[in-house]
Coordinates of all heavy atoms in Angstrom, one line a residue:
M888 N -8.2 5.9 -16.4 CA -7.3 6.2 -17.6 C -6.1 6.9 -17.0 O -6.1 7.6 -15.9 CB -8.0 7.3 -18.4 CG -7.0 8.0 -19.3 SD -7.6 9.5 -20.1 CE -9.0 9.0 -21.0
I889 N -4.9 6.5 -17.3 CA -3.6 7.1 -16.9 C -3.4 8.4 -17.5 O -3.6 8.6 -18.7 CB -2.5 6.1 -17.2 CG1 -2.7 4.7 -16.5 CG2 -1.1 6.8 -16.9 CD1 -1.6 3.7 -17.0
V890 N -3.1 9.4 -16.7 CA -2.9 10.7 -17.2 C -1.4 11.3 -17.1 O -1.2 12.2 -17.7 CB -3.9 11.7 -16.6 CG1 -5.3 11.5 -16.9 CG2 -3.7 11.8 -15.1
G891 N -0.6 10.5 -16.3 CA 0.7 10.9 -16.2 C 1.5 9.9 -15.3 O 0.9 9.1 -14.5
S892 N 2.8 9.8 -15.5 CA 3.6 8.9 -14.8 C 5.1 9.3 -14.9 O 5.5 9.8 -16.0 CB 3.4 7.4 -15.5 OG 4.1 6.5 -14.7
T893 N 5.7 9.0 -13.8 CA 7.2 9.2 -13.8 C 7.9 7.9 -13.4 O 7.3 7.1 -12.5 CB 7.7 10.3 -12.8 OG1 7.4 10.0 -11.6 CG2 7.1 11.6 -13.4
F894 N 9.1 7.5 -13.8 CA 9.8 6.4 -13.3 C 11.2 6.8 -13.1 O 11.9 7.3 -14.0 CB 9.7 5.4 -14.4 CG 9.8 4.0 -13.9 CD1 8.7 3.2 -13.8 CD2 11.0 3.5 -13.8 CE1 8.9 1.9 -13.3 CE2 11.2 2.1 -13.3 CZ 10.1 1.4 -13.1
T895 N 11.7 6.7 -11.8 CA 13.0 7.0 -11.5 C 13.9 5.8 -11.2 O 13.4 5.1 -10.3 CB 13.0 8.0 -10.2 OG1 12.3 9.1 -10.6 CG2 14.5 8.4 -9.9
V896 N 14.9 5.6 -11.8 CA 15.9 4.5 -11.5 C 17.0 5.0 -10.9 O 17.8 5.8 -11.5 CB 16.1 3.7 -13.1 CG1 17.2 2.6 -12.7 CG2 14.9 3.2 -13.6
N897 N 17.4 4.4 -9.8 CA 18.6 5.0 -9.1 C 19.8 4.0 -9.2 O 19.6 2.7 -9.5 CB 18.2 5.0 -7.5 CG 17.1 5.9 -7.3 OD1 17.1 7.0 -7.8 ND2 16.0 5.4 -6.8
S898 N 21.0 4.5 -9.0 CA 22.2 3.7 -9.2 C 22.4 2.7 -8.0 O 23.2 1.7 -8.2 CB 23.4 4.6 -9.2 OG 23.5 5.3 -8.0
D899 N 21.6 2.7 -7.0 CA 21.7 1.7 -5.9 C 20.7 0.5 -6.1 O 20.4 -0.2 -5.2 CB 21.5 2.3 -4.6 CG 20.0 2.8 -4.4 OD1 19.2 2.8 -5.3 OD2 19.6 3.2 -3.2
S900 N 20.3 0.3 -7.3 CA 19.4 -0.8 -7.7 C 18.1 -0.7 -7.2 O 17.3 -1.6 -7.0 CB 20.0 -2.2 -7.4 OG 21.2 -2.3 -8.0
T901 N 17.6 0.6 -6.9 CA 16.2 0.7 -6.5 C 15.4 1.6 -7.5 O 16.1 2.3 -8.4 CB 16.1 1.5 -5.2 OG1 16.7 2.8 -5.3 CG2 16.8 0.7 -4.0
F902 N 14.2 1.7 -7.5 CA 13.4 2.4 -8.4 C 12.2 3.0 -7.7 O 11.7 2.4 -6.7 CB 13.0 1.8 -9.6 CG 11.9 0.6 -9.6 CD1 10.7 0.8 -9.5 CD2 12.5 -0.7 -9.3 CE1 9.7 -0.2 -9.3 CE2 11.6 -1.7 -9.1 CZ 10.2 -1.5 -9.1
R903 N 11.6 4.0 -8.2 CA 10.4 4.6 -7.8 C 9.5 5.1 -8.8 O 10.1 5.7 -9.9 CB 10.6 5.8 -6.7 CG 9.3 6.5 -6.3 CD 9.7 7.4 -5.2 NE 10.3 6.8 -4.0 CZ 9.7 6.0 -3.0 NH1 8.4 5.8 -3.0 NH2 10.4 5.6 -2.0
S904 N 8.1 4.8 -8.9 CA 7.4 5.2 -10.0 C 6.1 5.9 -9.3 O 5.6 5.5 -8.3 CB 6.9 4.0 -10.7 OG 5.9 4.3 -11.7
T905 N 5.6 7.0 -10.1 CA 4.4 7.6 -9.6 C 3.5 7.7 -10.8 O 3.9 8.0 -11.9 CB 4.8 9.1 -9.1 OG1 5.6 9.1 -8.0 CG2 3.5 9.8 -8.7
M906 N 2.3 7.2 -10.7 CA 1.3 7.2 -11.6 C 0.0 8.0 -11.3 O -0.5 7.8 -10.1 CB 1.0 5.8 -12.0 CG 0.3 5.6 -13.4 SD 0.3 3.9 -13.9 CE 2.0 3.6 -14.5
S907 N -0.5 8.8 -12.2 CA -1.7 9.5 -11.9 C -2.8 9.0 -12.8 O -2.6 8.8 -14.0 CB -1.6 11.0 -12.2 OG -0.6 11.6 -11.4
Y908 N -4.0 8.7 -12.2 CA -5.1 8.1 -12.9 C -6.3 9.1 -12.9 O -6.6 9.7 -11.8 CB -5.6 6.8 -12.2 CG -4.5 5.9 -12.0 CD1 -3.7 5.7 -11.0 CD2 -4.4 4.8 -12.9 CE1 -2.8 4.8 -10.8 CE2 -3.5 3.8 -12.7 CZ -2.7 3.8 -11.6 OH -1.7 2.9 -11.5
R909 N -7.1 9.1 -13.9 CA -8.4 10.0 -13.8 C -9.5 8.8 -13.7 O -9.5 7.8 -14.5 CB -8.6 10.7 -15.2 CG -10.0 11.4 -15.1 CD -10.1 12.3 -16.4 NE -9.0 13.3 -16.5 CZ -8.3 13.4 -17.6 NH1 -8.6 12.6 -18.8 NH2 -7.4 14.3 -17.8
M910 N -10.3 9.0 -12.7 CA -11.4 8.0 -12.4 C -12.5 8.8 -11.8 O -12.5 9.9 -11.4 CB -10.8 6.9 -11.5 CG -10.3 7.3 -10.1 SD -9.4 6.2 -9.2 CE -10.5 4.8 -9.1
T911 N -13.7 8.1 -11.8 CA -14.9 8.7 -11.2 C -15.3 7.8 -10.0 O -15.5 6.6 -10.2 CB -16.0 8.6 -12.3 OG1 -15.5 9.5 -13.4 CG2 -17.3 9.3 -11.7
V912 N -15.5 8.5 -8.9 CA -15.9 7.7 -7.7 C -17.2 8.4 -7.2 O -17.1 9.6 -6.9 CB -14.7 7.8 -6.6 CG1 -15.2 7.1 -5.3 CG2 -13.5 7.1 -7.1
R913 N -18.2 7.7 -7.1 CA -19.6 8.1 -6.8 C -20.0 9.3 -7.6 O -20.4 10.3 -7.0 CB -19.6 8.4 -5.2 CG -19.4 7.2 -4.3 CD -19.6 7.6 -2.9 NE -19.3 6.5 -2.1 CZ -18.2 6.3 -1.3 NH1 -17.3 7.3 -1.2 NH2 -18.0 5.3 -0.6
D914 N -19.8 9.2 -8.9 CA -20.2 10.1 -9.8 C -19.3 11.5 -9.7 O -19.7 12.5 -10.3 CB -21.6 10.5 -9.8 CG -22.5 9.3 -10.2 OD1 -22.1 8.6 -11.0 OD2 -23.7 9.2 -9.5
V915 N -18.2 11.4 -9.1 CA -17.3 12.6 -9.0 C -16.0 12.4 -9.7 O -15.3 11.4 -9.2 CB -17.1 13.0 -7.5 CG1 -16.1 14.1 -7.3 CG2 -18.4 13.2 -6.7
P916 N -15.7 13.0 -10.7 CA -14.4 12.8 -11.4 C -13.2 13.3 -10.5 O -13.4 14.3 -9.9 CB -14.6 13.6 -12.7 CG -15.9 14.3 -12.7 CD -16.5 13.9 -11.4
Q917 N -12.2 12.6 -10.5 CA -11.0 12.9 -9.7 C -9.8 12.3 -10.3 O -9.8 11.4 -11.1 CB -11.2 12.5 -8.3 CG -11.4 11.1 -8.1 CD -11.8 10.8 -6.6 OE1 -10.9 10.8 -5.8 NE2 -13.0 10.5 -6.3
V918 N -8.6 12.9 -10.0 CA -7.3 12.3 -10.3 C -6.7 11.8 -9.0 O -6.6 12.4 -8.0 CB -6.4 13.4 -10.9 CG1 -5.0 12.8 -11.1 CG2 -7.1 13.9 -12.2
V919 N -6.3 10.5 -9.1 CA -5.7 9.9 -8.0 C -4.2 9.5 -8.3 O -3.9 9.0 -9.5 CB -6.5 8.5 -7.7 CG1 -5.8 7.7 -6.7 CG2 -7.9 8.8 -7.3
E920 N -3.3 9.7 -7.4 CA -2.0 9.4 -7.5 C -1.4 8.4 -6.7 O -1.7 8.3 -5.6 CB -1.1 10.7 -7.3 CG 0.4 10.6 -7.7 CD 1.1 11.9 -7.6 OE1 0.9 12.7 -8.5 OE2 1.8 12.1 -6.6
R921 N -0.7 7.4 -7.4 CA -0.2 6.3 -6.5 C 1.3 6.1 -6.8 O 1.8 6.4 -7.8 CB -0.8 4.9 -7.0 CG -2.3 5.0 -6.8 CD -2.9 3.6 -6.5 NE -2.2 2.7 -5.6 CZ -2.1 1.4 -5.8 NH1 -2.8 0.8 -6.7 NH2 -1.4 0.6 -5.1
E922 N 2.0 5.8 -5.7 CA 3.5 5.7 -5.8 C 3.7 4.2 -5.6 O 3.1 3.4 -4.8 CB 4.2 6.4 -4.7 CG 4.2 7.9 -4.9 CD 5.1 8.6 -4.0 OE1 6.0 8.0 -3.4 OE2 5.0 9.8 -3.9
F923 N 4.7 3.7 -6.4 CA 5.3 2.4 -6.3 C 6.8 2.4 -6.2 O 7.4 3.3 -6.6 CB 4.9 1.6 -7.7 CG 3.5 1.7 -8.1 CD1 2.9 2.7 -8.8 CD2 2.6 0.8 -7.5 CE1 1.6 2.9 -9.2 CE2 1.2 1.0 -7.9 CZ 0.8 1.9 -8.8
S924 N 7.3 1.4 -5.7 CA 8.8 1.3 -5.6 C 9.3 -0.2 -5.6 O 8.5 -1.1 -5.5 CB 9.3 2.0 -4.3 OG 8.8 1.4 -3.1
G925 N 10.6 -0.4 -5.6 CA 11.0 -1.8 -5.6 C 12.6 -1.7 -5.9 O 13.3 -0.7 -5.8
T926 N 13.1 -2.9 -6.3 CA 14.5 -3.1 -6.7 C 14.6 -3.6 -8.2 O 13.7 -4.2 -8.6 CB 15.2 -4.0 -5.7 OG1 14.5 -5.2 -5.7 CG2 15.2 -3.4 -4.2
Y927 N 15.8 -3.6 -8.6 CA 16.0 -4.2 -9.9 C 17.4 -4.9 -10.1 O 18.3 -4.6 -9.3 CB 15.8 -3.2 -11.1 CG 17.0 -2.1 -11.1 CD1 18.1 -2.2 -11.9 CD2 16.8 -0.9 -10.4 CE1 19.0 -1.3 -12.0 CE2 17.9 0.2 -10.4 CZ 19.0 -0.1 -11.1 OH 19.8 0.8 -11.2
A928 N 17.4 -5.9 -10.9 CA 18.7 -6.5 -11.2 C 18.8 -6.9 -12.7 O 17.7 -7.0 -13.5 CB 18.7 -7.8 -10.4
R929 N 20.0 -6.9 -13.2 CA 20.3 -7.4 -14.6 C 19.7 -8.8 -14.9 O 19.9 -9.6 -14.0 CB 21.7 -7.3 -14.8 CG 22.1 -7.3 -16.3 CD 22.2 -5.9 -16.7 NE 22.9 -5.8 -17.9 CZ 22.5 -5.4 -19.1 NH1 21.3 -4.9 -19.2 NH2 23.2 -5.4 -20.2
E930 N 19.1 -8.9 -16.0 CA 18.6 -10.3 -16.4 C 18.7 -10.4 -17.9 O 18.0 -9.8 -18.7 CB 17.1 -10.5 -15.9 CG 16.7 -11.9 -16.2 CD 15.3 -12.2 -15.6 OE1 14.3 -11.8 -16.2 OE2 15.3 -12.8 -14.5
G931 N 19.7 -11.2 -18.3 CA 19.9 -11.4 -19.8 C 20.3 -10.1 -20.3 O 21.1 -9.3 -19.9
A932 N 19.5 -9.8 -21.5 CA 19.8 -8.4 -22.1 C 19.1 -7.3 -21.6 O 19.2 -6.2 -21.9 CB 19.3 -8.6 -23.6
G933 N 18.2 -7.6 -20.6 CA 17.4 -6.5 -19.9 C 17.6 -6.5 -18.4 O 18.6 -6.8 -17.9
Y934 N 16.5 -6.2 -17.7 CA 16.4 -6.1 -16.3 C 15.1 -6.8 -15.8 O 14.1 -6.9 -16.5 CB 16.5 -4.7 -15.8 CG 17.8 -3.9 -16.3 CD1 17.9 -3.4 -17.4 CD2 18.8 -3.9 -15.4 CE1 19.0 -2.8 -17.8 CE2 20.1 -3.3 -15.7 CZ 20.1 -2.7 -16.9 OH 21.3 -2.1 -17.2
K935 N 15.2 -7.1 -14.5 CA 14.0 -7.7 -13.8 C 13.7 -6.6 -12.7 O 14.5 -6.5 -11.7 CB 14.2 -9.0 -13.3 CG 13.0 -9.6 -12.5 CD 13.1 -11.0 -12.1 CE 14.5 -11.4 -11.5 NZ 14.5 -12.8 -11.1
F936 N 12.6 -6.0 -12.7 CA 12.1 -5.1 -11.7 C 11.3 -5.9 -10.7 O 10.3 -6.4 -11.1 CB 11.4 -3.9 -12.3 CG 12.3 -2.9 -12.9 CD1 13.4 -3.2 -13.7 CD2 12.3 -1.6 -12.5 CE1 14.2 -2.3 -14.3 CE2 13.1 -0.6 -13.0 CZ 14.0 -1.0 -13.9
T937 N 11.6 -5.8 -9.4 CA 10.8 -6.4 -8.3 C 10.1 -5.3 -7.6 O 10.8 -4.5 -6.9 CB 11.7 -7.3 -7.4 OG1 12.4 -8.3 -8.3 CG2 10.9 -8.1 -6.4
W938 N 8.8 -5.3 -7.6 CA 8.0 -4.4 -6.9 C 7.8 -4.7 -5.5 O 7.5 -5.8 -5.1 CB 6.7 -4.3 -7.7 CG 6.7 -4.0 -9.1 CD1 6.9 -4.9 -10.1 CD2 6.6 -2.7 -9.7 NE1 7.1 -4.2 -11.3 CE2 6.8 -2.8 -11.1 CE3 6.5 -1.4 -9.2 CZ2 6.8 -1.9 -11.9 CZ3 6.4 -0.3 -10.0 CH2 6.6 -0.6 -11.4
L939 N 7.8 -3.7 -4.6 CA 7.6 -3.9 -3.2 C 6.1 -4.4 -2.9 O 5.2 -3.7 -3.5 CB 7.8 -2.5 -2.5 CG 7.7 -2.5 -0.9 CD1 8.8 -3.4 -0.4 CD2 7.8 -1.2 -0.4
N940 N 6.0 -5.4 -2.3 CA 4.7 -6.1 -2.0 C 3.9 -6.4 -3.3 O 2.8 -6.4 -3.3 CB 3.8 -5.1 -1.1 CG 4.5 -4.8 0.2 OD1 5.0 -5.7 0.8 ND2 4.5 -3.5 0.6
A941 N 4.7 -6.8 -4.4 CA 4.0 -7.2 -5.6 C 5.0 -8.1 -6.4 O 5.8 -8.7 -5.8 CB 3.6 -5.9 -6.3
G942 N 4.7 -8.2 -7.6 CA 5.5 -9.2 -8.5 C 6.6 -8.6 -9.1 O 7.3 -7.6 -8.6
Q943 N 7.0 -9.2 -10.2 CA 8.3 -8.8 -11.0 C 7.8 -8.5 -12.5 O 6.9 -9.1 -12.9 CB 9.2 -9.9 -11.0 CG 9.8 -10.3 -9.6 CD 10.7 -11.5 -9.6 OE1 10.6 -12.4 -10.4 NE2 11.7 -11.4 -8.6
T944 N 8.6 -7.6 -13.0 CA 8.3 -7.1 -14.3 C 9.5 -7.1 -15.2 O 10.7 -6.5 -14.7 CB 7.7 -5.7 -14.3 OG1 6.5 -5.7 -13.4 CG2 7.3 -5.3 -15.6
P945 N 9.6 -7.7 -16.4 CA 10.7 -7.5 -17.3 C 10.8 -6.1 -17.8 O 9.7 -5.5 -18.2 CB 10.5 -8.6 -18.3 CG 9.1 -8.9 -18.4 CD 8.6 -8.5 -17.0
V946 N 12.1 -5.6 -17.9 CA 12.3 -4.3 -18.5 C 13.4 -4.3 -19.5 O 14.4 -5.0 -19.2 CB 12.6 -3.3 -17.4 CG1 13.0 -1.9 -17.9 CG2 11.4 -3.1 -16.4
T947 N 13.3 -3.6 -20.6 CA 14.4 -3.4 -21.5 C 14.6 -2.0 -21.8 O 13.8 -1.1 -21.6 CB 14.0 -4.1 -22.9 OG1 12.8 -3.6 -23.4 CG2 13.9 -5.6 -22.7
L948 N 15.9 -1.7 -22.3 CA 16.3 -0.4 -22.6 C 16.4 -0.3 -24.0 O 17.1 -1.1 -24.7 CB 17.5 0.0 -21.9 CG 17.4 0.2 -20.4 CD1 18.9 0.5 -19.9 CD2 16.5 1.4 -20.0
Q949 N 15.9 0.7 -24.8 CA 16.1 0.9 -26.2 C 16.6 2.4 -26.3 O 15.7 3.4 -26.3 CB 14.9 0.6 -27.0 CG 14.5 -0.8 -26.9 CD 13.2 -1.0 -27.7 OE1 12.6 -0.2 -28.3 NE2 12.7 -2.3 -27.7
G950 N 17.9 2.7 -26.4 CA 18.4 4.0 -26.4 C 18.0 4.7 -25.0 O 18.3 4.2 -24.0
D951 N 17.3 5.8 -25.2 CA 16.8 6.6 -24.0 C 15.4 6.2 -23.6 O 14.8 6.9 -22.7 CB 16.9 8.1 -24.3 CG 18.3 8.6 -24.2 OD1 19.2 8.0 -23.7 OD2 18.4 9.8 -24.8
T952 N 14.9 5.0 -24.0 CA 13.6 4.6 -23.6 C 13.6 3.4 -22.8 O 14.2 2.4 -23.3 CB 12.7 4.5 -24.9 OG1 12.8 5.7 -25.7 CG2 11.3 4.1 -24.6
L953 N 12.9 3.3 -21.7 CA 12.8 2.2 -20.9 C 11.4 1.6 -21.2 O 10.4 2.2 -21.1 CB 12.8 2.6 -19.4 CG 12.7 1.6 -18.3 CD1 13.5 2.0 -17.1 CD2 11.2 1.3 -17.9
I954 N 11.4 0.3 -21.5 CA 10.1 -0.4 -21.9 C 9.8 -1.3 -20.9 O 10.6 -2.3 -20.5 CB 10.2 -1.1 -23.1 CG1 10.8 -0.2 -24.4 CG2 8.9 -1.8 -23.6 CD1 9.8 0.9 -24.8
L955 N 8.7 -1.2 -20.1 CA 8.2 -1.9 -19.0 C 7.0 -2.8 -19.6 O 6.1 -2.3 -20.1 CB 7.8 -1.1 -17.9 CG 7.4 -1.7 -16.6 CD1 7.9 -0.7 -15.5 CD2 6.0 -2.0 -16.4
N956 N 7.1 -4.2 -19.4 CA 6.1 -5.0 -19.9 C 5.4 -5.6 -18.7 O 5.7 -6.6 -18.1 CB 6.7 -6.2 -20.7 CG 5.6 -7.1 -21.3 OD1 4.5 -7.1 -20.9 ND2 6.1 -7.8 -22.3
N957 N 4.3 -5.0 -18.5 CA 3.4 -5.4 -17.2 C 2.3 -6.3 -17.7 O 1.3 -5.8 -18.0 CB 2.8 -4.3 -16.5 CG 2.1 -4.5 -15.3 OD1 2.1 -5.6 -14.8 ND2 1.6 -3.5 -14.6
E958 N 2.6 -7.7 -17.7 CA 1.6 -8.6 -18.1 C 1.0 -8.3 -19.4 O -0.1 -8.5 -19.8 CB 0.6 -8.8 -17.1 CG 1.2 -9.3 -15.7 CD 0.1 -9.6 -14.7 OE1 -1.1 -9.5 -14.9 OE2 0.5 -9.8 -13.5
G959 N 1.9 -8.0 -20.4 CA 1.5 -7.6 -21.9 C 1.1 -6.2 -22.1 O 0.9 -5.8 -23.2
M960 N 0.9 -5.3 -21.0 CA 0.7 -3.9 -21.1 C 2.0 -3.2 -21.2 O 2.7 -3.3 -20.3 CB -0.2 -3.4 -20.1 CG -0.6 -2.0 -20.4 SD -1.6 -1.3 -19.1 CE -2.9 -2.4 -18.7
L961 N 2.4 -2.6 -22.3 CA 3.7 -1.9 -22.4 C 3.6 -0.5 -22.0 O 2.6 0.3 -22.4 CB 4.2 -2.0 -23.8 CG 4.3 -3.4 -24.3 CD1 4.8 -3.3 -25.9 CD2 5.4 -4.3 -23.6
F962 N 4.6 -0.1 -21.2 CA 4.7 1.3 -20.7 C 6.1 1.7 -21.2 O 7.1 1.0 -21.1 CB 4.7 1.4 -19.2 CG 3.4 1.0 -18.6 CD1 3.0 -0.3 -18.3 CD2 2.5 2.1 -18.3 CE1 1.9 -0.5 -17.8 CE2 1.3 1.9 -17.8 CZ 1.0 0.5 -17.4
A963 N 6.2 2.9 -21.9 CA 7.5 3.4 -22.4 C 7.8 4.7 -21.7 O 6.9 5.7 -21.6 CB 7.4 3.6 -23.8
Y964 N 9.0 4.9 -21.0 CA 9.4 6.1 -20.4 C 10.6 6.5 -21.1 O 11.6 5.8 -21.2 CB 9.7 5.7 -18.9 CG 8.5 5.3 -18.1 CD1 8.1 3.9 -18.0 CD2 7.9 6.2 -17.3 CE1 7.0 3.5 -17.3 CE2 6.8 5.9 -16.6 CZ 6.3 4.5 -16.5 OH 5.3 4.1 -15.8
V965 N 10.6 7.7 -21.4 CA 11.7 8.4 -22.1 C 12.5 9.2 -21.2 O 12.0 10.0 -20.3 CB 11.2 9.4 -23.3 CG1 12.4 10.0 -24.0 CG2 10.3 8.6 -24.3
R966 N 13.9 8.9 -21.1 CA 14.8 9.6 -20.3 C 14.7 11.1 -20.4 O 14.8 11.6 -21.5 CB 16.1 9.1 -20.4 CG 17.3 9.7 -19.5 CD 18.6 9.4 -19.8 NE 18.8 8.1 -20.3 CZ 19.7 7.2 -19.8 NH1 20.5 7.6 -18.8 NH2 19.8 6.0 -20.3
S967 N 14.7 11.8 -19.3 CA 14.7 13.4 -19.4 C 16.1 13.7 -18.7 O 16.7 13.0 -17.9 CB 13.6 13.9 -18.6 OG 13.6 13.6 -17.3
P968 N 16.6 14.9 -19.1 CA 17.8 15.3 -18.5 C 17.8 15.4 -17.0 O 16.7 15.7 -16.4 CB 18.0 16.7 -19.1 CG 17.1 16.8 -20.2 CD 15.9 15.9 -20.0
E969 N 18.9 15.1 -16.3 CA 19.0 15.1 -14.8 C 18.8 16.6 -14.4 O 19.2 17.5 -15.1 CB 20.2 14.6 -14.3 CG 20.3 13.1 -14.5 CD 21.5 12.4 -13.8 OE1 21.9 13.0 -12.7 OE2 22.1 11.6 -14.3
R970 N 18.1 16.8 -13.3 CA 17.8 18.1 -12.8 C 18.9 18.4 -11.8 O 19.5 17.8 -11.0 CB 16.5 18.2 -12.2 CG 15.4 18.0 -13.2 CD 14.1 18.0 -12.5 NE 13.1 17.5 -13.4 CZ 11.8 17.3 -13.0 NH1 11.4 17.7 -11.9 NH2 11.0 16.9 -13.9

């Protein structure tokens, strides 16, 4: 189960994502965090994100929400104010 995620899009056409999962390993519950990164480019009305050592994912923007379609599983990330 996904318990949290962040997605950072940089002006140099790179991105970084961190996702935390709750899982049980050998009957021990734990939270595992994974980092992902890659590059992106404009494609039609949206963008194509290319993951480092992986495939590509179409992404669209709807206002302040980034919608990532990972093989039919949708992830929505809402923009937060810059720190």
Side-chain angles (χ1 to χ4, degrees):
M888 170 194 298
I889 299 170
V890 294
S892 183
T893 61
F894 205 99
T895 304
V896 178
N897 302 305
S898 61
D899 67 353
S900 297
T901 63
F902 67 88
R903 178 169 302 282
S904 175
T905 302
M906 193 169 286
S907 300
Y908 306 87
R909 181 177 300 128
M910 56 193 304
T911 302
V912 177
R913 296 187 184 109
D914 296 324
V915 177
Q917 55 188 285
V918 174
V919 176
E920 187 171 280
R921 295 210 42 213
E922 287 193 14
F923 308 93
S924 63
T926 60
Y927 66 91
R929 193 92 160 120
E930 183 175 82
Y934 296 86
K935 177 173 45 178
F936 282 51
T937 302
W938 302 84
L939 183 64
N940 300 317
Q943 298 177 328
T944 304
V946 172
T947 57
L948 293 175
Q949 295 178 1
D951 284 342
T952 305
L953 182 146
I954 309 292
L955 189 145
N956 184 342
N957 187 3
E958 298 181 8
M960 185 183 312
L961 299 179
F962 294 84
Y964 294 88
V965 178
R966 182 188 320 232
S967 63
E969 290 187 38
R970 297 178 194 175

